[in-house]
Amino acid sequence: MLILYRITFSKMKTKIFVLCASALFLCSACSKDDKVDLDVIVGEWYWDTTYPYLIMDVSMSYTFKKDGKYIKTVYGGESPAPSFTEGRYVTSITDKPRLLTLFTDDEEGREVAVEQYNIRKLNSKEILLESTSDEASPREMRLLRAEYL
């Protein structure tokens, strides 16, 4: 009887060990891309016009501030002077896919969403975005942090 108890207890310890090891493996298997540190988005980002294989004569930059405000600057195109758009941004890290939504005020002063992207990647050097609008051009956009250019 004592031998049977030791064998059963030993098997139970083995099962508990395997369960704990599996849980630890699953937790560590999550990729770093799944972890989004929203403080990383704060800063100045430039549009990489060569991604994905698209070379444009227009350049853009986004400056995301800690207080939830942004400034979008567009260089080139039809006007020689840069154009600026200011507003508020919201990031969603609980939804899958994660979203970045940019708001600005319309002529009557009402806040409206003007751009929305799925955040495919967000780290200290780059952001990969995919537009939620079918009409958007480009559909995919890569932003590079200013200090890494």
Side-chain angles (χ1 to χ4, degrees):
M1 182 90 157
L2 187 59
I3 295 173
L4 182 59
Y5 172 76
R6 285 186 185 182
I7 292 172
T8 305
F9 184 70
S10 175
K11 285 182 180 179
M12 194 164 52
K13 281 190 339 187
T14 304
K15 287 181 182 179
I16 290 172
F17 174 77
V18 168
L19 227 85
C20 290
S22 298
L24 183 63
F25 175 75
L26 287 174
C27 289
S28 66
C30 296
S31 73
K32 290 184 180 181
D33 290 342
D34 289 342
K35 297 178 183 177
V36 175
D37 180 9
L38 292 182
D39 290 337
V40 169
I41 202 168
V42 173
E44 190 171 5
W45 299 86
Y46 284 89
W47 179 33
D48 178 6
T49 58
T50 64
Y51 178 88
Y53 313 108
L54 177 70
I55 298 175
M56 305 279 292
D57 62 347
V58 175
S59 180
M60 284 188 294
S61 71
Y62 291 86
T63 302
F64 296 104
K65 299 178 183 180
K66 199 170 197 149
D67 65 356
K69 305 282 186 192
Y70 78 92
I71 299 171
K72 175 182 174 181
T73 308
V74 179
Y75 309 91
E78 298 172 11
S79 172
S83 66
F84 301 94
T85 305
E86 294 185 45
R88 182 176 69 91
Y89 72 93
V90 175
T91 53
S92 165
I93 61 166
T94 56
D95 295 338
K96 292 275 182 170
R98 294 177 184 89
L99 294 175
L100 169 66
T101 307
L102 305 179
F103 296 91
T104 193
D105 292 338
D106 66 7
E107 295 84 30
E108 286 127 27
R110 293 179 302 214
E111 188 176 65
V112 292
V114 289
E115 297 178 46
Q116 187 173 60
Y117 301 97
N118 293 325
I119 303 172
R120 292 184 29 218
K121 184 177 185 179
L122 172 58
N123 63 36
S124 62
K125 294 182 181 180
E126 70 177 348
I127 305 173
L128 289 181
L129 301 171
E130 179 181 33
S131 178
T132 60
S133 170
D134 291 334
E135 297 86 36
S137 178
R139 180 104 173 100
E140 294 181 12
M141 186 167 44
R142 178 174 153 190
L143 301 176
L144 302 174
R145 186 175 292 279
E147 2 348 326
Y148 294 106
L149 293 178

